[in-house]
Amino acid sequence: MKKYLEPQMGKLVLSEIKSAGELQKRIALLERKATREKKARNIAENQLERYSMEVYQTDQSLKKALAFATKKQLELEYLSKASMGDASELPLSEMISNMIELTCEYCAAEYGFYLVTKDGVEVEGTLDNAWSKELEWQSQSELQSLVNANLPLSEADVLESWSVSTLIDDDALYFGCILYMNFALSGGKIGWLAFLNKKGSVDEGIFPILATARDDFNSGIRRRLTDIYILERNVQLQESVNKLEMAKRQLIQSEKMASLGQLAAGVAHEINNPLAFIRSNMQVLKEYLIDYKSLHDDIKRELATHNNLDMSSFIALCEKVDLSYIHEDSVALLTSNIEGLNRVRDIVENLKSFSHAGDAKLIQISLNKCVDAALRIAGNVFKYEHQIDNQMINSSPLVLGNLGQLQQVFMNLFINAAYAMQGGGKLSIWHTEENHRVIIHVKDTGCGMNEETISKLFTPFFTTKPVGVGTGLGLSVSYVILEAHNVQVTVDSEIGLGTTFNLSFPVSF
Ligand SMILES: Nc1ncnc2c1ncn2[C@@H]1O[C@H](COP(=O)(O)OP(=O)(O)OP(=O)(O)O)[C@@H](O)[C@H]1O
Ligand SMILES: [Mg+2]
């Protein structure tokens, strides 16, 4: 038996060969096996090729997806940054520069420009109005002219979308096209954003993104223009409010002066009365002084003649001038003069507080003092046929108010009441309290008012008095004052029976 080495490949082991026939069989077997293995290898190779093709295709798709994702990321970054500028509180000019810088980078332009036109002519922004990534903001007058020449600046309306203008070679230096848009500013102005590109065209794919950014930008511009408009309107409104406030003060003051004029005659009468009796008292006192002088002369003469004056002669001389009466009456006359002067002083004091300019400074005041002072000033409009029942004398409700202004209100009410009670009547003033408010009631038994008069009561210049008698401002000015004091007014009136004004004041604790 012959021994063979085992072959390196194949699974059959030829350890022993017994004969040639057997060897043949073995060879055929090995050949079949080799054929099978070859087939299997071919199949494996084909499969390998398919796999590597698939891997290649997957790789290509991944690369595409990556490029797409990068593009999307850039778009998202652009949109989010652009919309951040629009939504933030950036001022208008910063929002516009922000948009130029972002768009310039996004569409890979060389320069971004901003200009403003009105009626087709550039109106502002010649300095530092060009932006590039390297140089940032600077002035580019030559390029600016190129841009201006290639934009439809004479266009009156705002363009509907982004536009592109291809530059003519000679003008273009080394630029290919301009991408631009415009938007409406206030006062009929138009703002323009323009981007100079090296390439002769702009990638169509970026237009939807640019359109979205443009929409955001436009809404940001509109919001800012509205803010600016509101701010300007606020300033105008504040000015109007100030003017109205001034007019209101003037109205109050002039109404006060008108009331004062009306009262002047009465006041003059009030002052004239004491002045008249002071004057006549002084006349009598002067005569008394003459009597004193003659008594003095008589005594001197007696002493010169007799070198003595006995008591009976002295009494006789005193009786001659009625000295005891002179003493008694002089005291009475001087007391009456002092009272008269006090009265004049009071009237002057009241007039001073009345004409005090109506600043709205509110302090704690007692209403009875206010009513009392107003009654004293307006007192002369009430005659002997009038009765005044002031029940406020012993109560002193406190409110926050301006004494001068509230006196003016009460005076207007009292003067109106007196006018309504021309044939005589009764004025009553009293107060009630409810829900932390003090209500002052001013009631007259005058002619009363019809519905129409009541509805126009507080309208400026409404009066039923004859021309030249009333200004029709009394109650309207009073109403303004009462409003400033947070006082609510109601009126009850019946024709022929009278009128009651109810003023409800918030109580001051
Ligand atoms: N107590 C009242 N009784 C009846 N009518 C009144 C009374 N108070 C006001 N009125 C009516 O309201 C009108 C307007 O009053 P208001 O005080 O505003 O102006 P006026 O008294 O006419 O003029 P002015 O006050 O400038 O002298 C009066 O003309 C009168 O018709
Ligand atoms: Mg009046």
Side-chain angles (χ1 to χ4, degrees), residues 293 295-305 309 317:
K293 174 89 171 54
L295 176 64
H296 180 255
D297 290 348
D298 286 350
I299 292 171
K300 233 166 66 180
R301 209 171 28 250
E302 278 296 313
L303 284 172
T305 318
L309 181 64
L317 287 177

Side-chain angles (χ1 to χ4, degrees), residues 133-195:
K133 200 172 176 185
E134 291 77 36
L135 302 170
E136 305 226 318
W137 288 100
Q138 25 45 78
S139 172
Q140 286 284 355
S141 45
E142 201 180 334
L143 291 179
Q144 178 74 61
S145 312
L146 175 72
V147 169
N148 287 13
N150 282 279
L151 293 183
L153 298 183
S154 55
E155 230 15 91
D157 294 328
V158 171
L159 303 168
E160 278 179 9
S161 59
W162 286 92
S163 306
V164 179
S165 234
T166 310
L167 299 176
I168 309 154
D169 274 348
D170 289 351
D171 295 341
L173 307 171
Y174 63 103
F175 296 105
C177 69
I178 298 180
L179 170 75
Y180 60 90
M181 64 161 274
N182 64 5
F183 52 92
L185 287 167
S186 57
K189 291 185 210 159
I190 294 184
W192 296 79
L193 307 188
F195 301 90

